Every structure is written in structure tokens, then in C-alpha cells.
Amino acid sequence: MEFRNREGNEAYAFSLPRRNRAPGTSAFVRARDEGTKIEHCLRSILPVFDDIHVIDNGSRDDTAEIVRQVRETAADGSKIRVHSYPFRVGRFGPEHDETPADSLHSLVYFTNWALSRCTRRYACKWDADMVLAGEQRDAFLGLIAGLDGGWPAAWSLAGQTVYRTSEGSFLVPRGEVNREVRIAPCGYPARFHKRQHWEQLIRPRWLRTHHFAPVCFHELKFLDEEEFDHWSTTEFPSPRKRREWETFQRLRGGGAGDVDMGAVRRLPPTFLDDQVDVAGRRESHGVRPVRAPGSGRPVERPVHKRVLPRRMPRFLGIGATRAGTSWVAAQLSSHPQIRMDRKEIHFFDRKLEAPAPSGSARDRIDRLRYLARFVRARGGGRGDARGGGRSGGRIRGEITPAYAILEPEVIRRVADWMPDARLIFMLRDPIERAWSQARHGFPRWRGKPLESVGREELIAYFDSDAVRRRSDYATCLRAWFGHFPREHFFFGFLDEIRERPEDLMRDLLGFLEARVVVADAESLRKPVNAAAPVRMPGWVRDHLEREYAFNADEVSDLIGRTVPWSR
């Protein structure tokens, strides 16, 4: 596929082929004035990738010279290729929004041009301020080495923000972990598209997305540098970026001495060199080692002094109603590591009173009421080789699909209680979803078979706010995206439960950082809480297609995957 720019510069026209790449994985690193970080970045990933393409975007410091020195002096330096992209690129935010996607100055055009430099079957977007975690090097190398051996897939990676003070020490705030899809087959089908405020990798529907569970890289921010000048605004649209901005300003203004070490842990001044020179080297600085699920390797976790935040659920299933959430709940509740109460406890939509001030006595009582649901919850159904089901249950969670339509002030409270929660959102054709809700709801809640319901009553049901909002996925997601970053979400489709249930569960368990313990094929294909099979009348479909004309492309853009329906 040929890409040409509106400026007519043929030297920077490019193509993204659909196939016939050499086996292996390329990394592309976009760099502008990254002289203080680029060496550690490159040396950390040189042992992992087959080749590394550094795209210098008009750096005014010594970034390009440092890259050349690493290429000449490092043992694997021949893997590095240096490219120049000399055009000014619109910064994130309003500048990006105002720049046409086919312009040389567009972040989308620049990123796809960088992607076109890669020569291998897979490509990884690796930023110049990212350093591969030494303790995860072997596991990550195993992931990269195995990409060519299976079906094509994309992979999301998790990173922890690390701040360096002017004194040279490193601080790690609790909860500042972000997840983003960074690895995908290299070619036209998986490329970058323009989104509001930034660019995003859009994958085709058939491309599965897996999650590399442990935190595998550190995202560096130096307090003595301007770390947000690649943004054209300080009114950041994402909660994650706002939280980073607030942490950066607080640490820069107050200094390390004012930091609450219950929320921030300090790393040694040799932290960066340790990641590059000694894989797996560990220091004991108020940190206790635990084992990462499925990896067999210890990872560092801070010792928290406060009990309530640590006991809060790790995941919530928030939607959508009649989109396979009962099936997901059944699979997760039988997992030996997962602790769940019954499905749909409806705490935040029915049992929670008006929001109390954060930290108040009533707020603490509400949290304790919520946590009580998990004290008596099941601790895992299927046993495992290390001691049976009741020994697990450390991953707490609940699934209440009605949470999809919570009001923003309630979502804010959820985020206040559980800022690191992982959110599961299952989707289904919105018209089929509404019809399934009617097939299930009328017999169960109104005590009448659906065939006996009159036309006017059925239309009033579909037009009701409670039913219509549940099919308006874009509005639901925008409300939640206002309080949680997109990388905290897992999106699945009812179609995947029907067609590829084992793959779906493997991806979901990886997202939750649980061991991959998947039920047998017969159990996976057994329907759970299915509605009675009643055929949708033609007039119902006509009405819903007219009234539920939700934009499928908008949902695809929001979730980063092509939805399996169109409107």
C-alpha cells in the first residue's frame, strides 16, 4: 500500500506491504532530543530484537551521535539502523488534531513512515525513554523468539513510570503502570491511524491481541528536564497523563524529601545501569520479592502500609449486558487464583448511597461494606497441582454489566477506590444485544412470555433509557475513559466466545496476570444464562436499526479493534 504526502515530497513517500517480510522482529524508536536516555534504551533492547531502527526527528542535542557510538561500540551494535526524518511533527493534543493525517508534519504519517523502515515479520513500537526491565529480559526474549512460531497476533506490553530526581535517585510511584499494544505483524493491515490528541495502532478484526503480563519496561522521566514539551497543551485528555503530570510537578516542586514513601518507593542511583549490565539484579529497598504468575521469576512489589487499597478488587466486569458476561463470570469463578462473589452484586449502581468525601468516615465504611463481599466470596473452583482450589483466590474481582451505564460521579468514585483496576468490557451487535435483553427480561422480570408482549409495549421497552444506553457502547466507554486509561480495558466479543472461546480465555487470564488454566472444550462451549430462542420480527429489526444507528466505526476507534458488525 503506497502512502503519499500532501506536500508532494516523493523522497518521503513509502509503502507498507501486506506480506513477505523476513522472519524476526524489528523495533522502531522515534527520537528527538533524547540524549540523556537513548543509550540506556538501546543497550537494554539490543539483545532482544533482530534489528533496531532509530528515527532521528531533527534532534538538536547529541542524540544522533550517541546512537552512532552505541552502534560502533556495542557487541550487537550492527543491529542498529539510523534514519532521519527532518520535518517538524505536530505535538500531541491540539497541534496533532489540526494537522492532516497525510501531511509530513502529522504524527500519524511520521509513525507509519517509521514503521515502514522495519524489515522483519513483526514490528515493535519502542519509545526512546523506555528501558527494558532487566529481570524480565529472558521472558521477553522468549516472547520475541516465539512470535514466528504461531498464528499472527498483536501483543500489549506494560510499563512502569520511573522518575529521576536532580540528585540522581529514582522514584517509582505506586499505580503508574500503563499498558499499550506495541507489537504487531509488520505491514499494511496493522498500521497507525489518527485519533483525537494522538495516534493509535488499529488492528484488523481477525488479529488476536495477547497481553504480556508482567511489567517489562520502565518509562523514564527526569525531573530536571522538560518531559511534557511534546504536548501542545497541559489540559491532558487521559487520566494517566494527568496523573503523570501531577506527580511530575509535585516531585519537581517538593523534592524527594516530601514524598510519602508508602506510595512511592526509592530505587538506588545505579538503577539504570543495573537494567542494562546485569539481567535480573535485585536490590532490597523496602521491597519484598513475590512470584509473577506463570513466570517462575520474582518481581518487585512495594510493601503497602494501608490495607484497604491493597484488598480492593483487581478487576471489574462492567459490561455489556447480554454480551457474554455470564459465561466470562462462570469461567473466572472456577479459576483457582480468582476470588469472586456471585455475579452481579450491583454494589455501585444499587447499594451505594450518595458519594461521600474521599477519606471521610462514611467513605471508609462504604469501602468496608464493599470488601465484605469478597470475604465471603468463593476462592476458586478447580484445583491445581499445587494444592487445590481453596488455596488460591488472591485475585479479587466482580462482574456487574450494569456498571457500563454508571453516572460519571460514581465512576469517579470507583477510580478513587481502585485506580489500578482492570476493566472487562464484552461487546455484541447492539441490536442483537437489545433483543436478547428483551427475550431474557420479559419472562424473568415481568412474568410474561415475549410472544405475548404487544407492539407498543415492546417499542417502549426498546426506547427506554435503561435498554438503549446499554447498546450505546461509545457513550459508555467515553464516560469510563474519563477516569481510567484505555490500557486498563480488556475488550472481547460474544462472537469470540462462540468461535474461539479458548483463545479468548487465554488472553483474558493473561490480562489479569493469572495462570492460564482453561476449562475443557466441552465446558467452554456450554452456554451460560442463554435467553430463550425467539426469532426477531422484521418490524423489530427495522425499528432498532432506525433508532439504534450507533456508529460502529466510532466504537472500533475507541477500543482499537474492528467490531464484527456495521451500521
Side-chain angles (χ1 to χ4, degrees):
M1 177 66 181
E2 294 288 337
F3 289 80
R4 299 187 180 278
N5 52 77
R6 62 173 50 209
E7 290 81 5
N9 188 328
E10 291 297 322
Y12 282 87
F14 64 95
S15 64
L16 289 174
R18 295 179 179 271
R19 56 181 69 87
N20 298 329
R21 296 275 186 170
T25 304
S26 300
F28 67 93
V29 182
R30 303 169 301 173
R32 176 180 171 85
D33 297 336
E34 298 284 3
T36 57
K37 306 182 182 78
I38 192 68
E39 180 174 1
H40 285 95
C41 167
L42 294 178
R43 291 189 184 275
S44 72
I45 61 177
L46 269 172
V48 175
F49 295 107
D50 295 287
D51 50 46
I52 300 171
H53 299 265
V54 180
I55 295 86
D56 181 41
N57 183 214
S59 295
R60 296 160 296 183
D61 63 0
D62 54 353
T63 295
E65 180 59 31
I66 292 174
V67 172
R68 292 187 181 93
Q69 290 178 5
V70 174
R71 184 177 61 181
E72 293 171 1
T73 60
D76 297 325
S78 59
K79 294 180 178 181
I80 298 175
R81 305 285 188 273
V82 183
H83 312 273
S84 175
Y85 192 88
F87 310 102
R88 185 184 183 279
V89 176
R91 296 175 294 171
F92 295 114
E95 279 189 14
H96 167 74
D97 297 340
E98 296 166 3
T99 306
D102 62 346
S103 170
L104 287 168
H105 305 288
S106 166
L107 181 63
V108 175
Y109 193 90
F110 171 37
T111 306
N112 280 323
W113 186 88
L115 176 64
S116 73
R117 304 301 95 185
C118 298
T119 60
R120 303 291 181 147
R121 188 170 296 164
Y122 277 84
C124 176
K125 175 190 170 191
W126 195 272
D127 297 338
D129 60 356
M130 289 165 44
V131 174
L132 182 64
E135 67 271 16
Q136 295 299 335
R137 185 176 302 163
D138 291 343
F140 190 68
L141 181 60
L143 166 68
I144 298 300
L147 289 177
D148 288 318
W151 290 100
W155 285 83
S156 72
L157 308 178
Q160 167 75 59
T161 308
V162 176
Y163 297 85
R164 190 192 71 176
T165 68
S166 56
E167 295 82 19
S169 59
F170 294 88
L171 303 175
V172 180
R174 174 181 173 270
E176 286 197 15
V177 175
N178 70 86
R179 179 175 288 277
E180 179 181 343
V181 176
R182 292 186 172 273
I183 301 176
C186 185
Y188 177 76
R191 62 193 187 280
F192 291 86
H193 291 236
K194 184 173 182 177
R195 280 187 48 83
Q196 187 177 13
H197 307 308
W198 53 71
E199 89 290 8
Q200 183 177 4
L201 181 68
I202 300 294
R203 292 93 67 198
R205 175 189 171 189
W206 52 263
L207 187 67
R208 292 293 306 160
T209 299
H210 304 292
H211 305 277
F212 186 72
V215 172
C216 70
F217 67 86
H218 305 289
E219 185 176 347
L220 305 176
K221 295 195 181 301
F222 292 176
L223 298 179
D224 53 356
E225 297 182 8
E226 295 301 327
E227 292 287 4
F228 295 88
D229 57 0
H230 58 292
W231 279 84
S232 56
T233 180
T234 56
E235 299 295 327
F236 301 108
S238 75
R240 177 174 73 87
K241 191 56 63 176
R242 289 197 297 270
R243 182 162 57 174
E244 286 183 354
W245 168 259
E246 292 168 0
T247 301
F248 186 85
Q249 299 301 324
R250 178 170 56 87
L251 293 177
R252 172 184 270 188
D258 294 339
V259 176
D260 175 12
M261 295 309 292
V264 178
R265 60 187 173 96
R266 189 187 301 271
L267 300 176
T270 59
F271 161 73
L272 270 184
D273 293 330
D274 293 344
Q275 305 308 305
V276 175
D277 296 335
V278 185
R281 178 174 174 178
R282 312 192 60 78
E283 300 287 346
S284 178
H285 290 269
V287 177
R288 59 183 175 90
V290 296
R291 299 232 171 240
S295 70
R297 282 177 296 279
V299 296
E300 294 180 350
R301 299 271 178 86
V303 179
H304 302 299
K305 296 180 180 179
R306 294 178 297 175
V307 174
L308 286 182
R310 188 178 62 196
R311 296 292 185 183
M312 280 293 171
R314 187 184 299 183
F315 71 89
L316 296 177
I318 62 172
T321 303
R322 307 305 301 167
T325 54
S326 294
W327 182 90
V328 171
Q331 301 302 320
L332 292 180
S333 64
S334 64
H335 191 282
Q337 286 184 302
I338 293 175
R339 179 181 294 273
M340 291 178 61
D341 199 347
R342 62 179 177 84
K343 181 176 178 279
E344 301 195 35
I345 66 176
H346 289 283
F347 185 85
F348 290 103
D349 61 325
R350 297 180 186 174
K351 300 179 176 64
L352 191 64
E353 298 178 1
S358 179
S360 65
R362 186 158 66 85
D363 180 68
R364 183 176 178 84
I365 291 172
D366 287 340
R367 296 193 193 203
L368 290 172
R369 288 174 52 222
Y370 184 51
L371 285 176
R373 307 305 301 257
F374 300 94
V375 172
R376 59 176 178 267
R378 296 187 295 272
R382 287 193 300 270
D384 62 19
R386 294 185 293 176
R390 299 300 302 182
S391 65
R394 298 189 177 185
I395 302 176
R396 296 174 176 84
E398 63 139 322
I399 295 179
T400 303
Y403 291 168
I405 59 173
L406 288 178
E407 296 300 326
E409 61 269 18
V410 183
I411 300 175
R412 179 198 57 75
R413 199 172 192 193
V414 175
D416 183 47
W417 288 10
M418 297 170 278
D420 304 324
R422 302 190 177 188
L423 307 172
I424 304 169
F425 200 110
M426 300 296 297
L427 300 97
R428 179 183 189 175
D429 183 315
I431 289 178
E432 295 292 341
R433 192 218 65 75
W435 178 244
S436 178
Q437 187 174 351
R439 288 189 289 135
H440 182 264
F442 273 96
R444 181 170 183 179
W445 304 113
R446 302 194 180 189
K448 59 174 71 173
L450 188 59
E451 296 89 338
S452 67
V453 179
R455 183 167 182 156
E456 291 185 2
E457 184 179 2
L458 201 53
I459 288 177
Y461 178 81
F462 288 129
D463 293 348
S464 66
D465 188 61
V467 177
R468 180 183 175 85
R469 287 176 61 196
R470 282 170 164 82
S471 285
D472 188 358
Y473 303 138
T475 301
C476 295
L477 290 173
R478 280 196 297 268
W480 280 89
F481 286 165
H483 300 275
F484 287 90
R486 284 170 172 78
E487 54 268 20
H488 281 213
F489 288 78
F490 177 92
F491 298 108
F493 301 120
L494 179 65
D495 307 67
E496 294 174 307
I497 296 177
R498 293 168 174 168
E499 298 168 6
R500 299 184 301 275
E502 184 174 355
D503 289 343
L504 177 66
M505 280 309 303
R506 288 183 182 276
D507 292 345
L508 179 55
L509 293 174
F511 174 75
L512 298 178
E513 298 186 19
R515 287 200 314 278
V516 179
V517 180
V518 181
D520 59 85
E522 182 179 355
S523 298
L524 287 172
R525 297 191 179 277
K526 182 179 180 181
V528 179
N529 198 27
V534 180
R535 184 177 179 182
M536 186 189 309
W539 70 265
V540 171
R541 181 172 294 279
D542 292 342
H543 176 81
L544 292 178
E545 286 183 348
R546 181 174 62 254
E547 298 298 325
Y548 283 33
F550 304 120
N551 190 331
D553 292 338
E554 182 182 11
V555 179
S556 298
D557 288 343
L558 285 171
I559 71 175
R561 296 182 64 190
T562 303
V563 299
W565 68 86
S566 62
R567 292 284 176 264

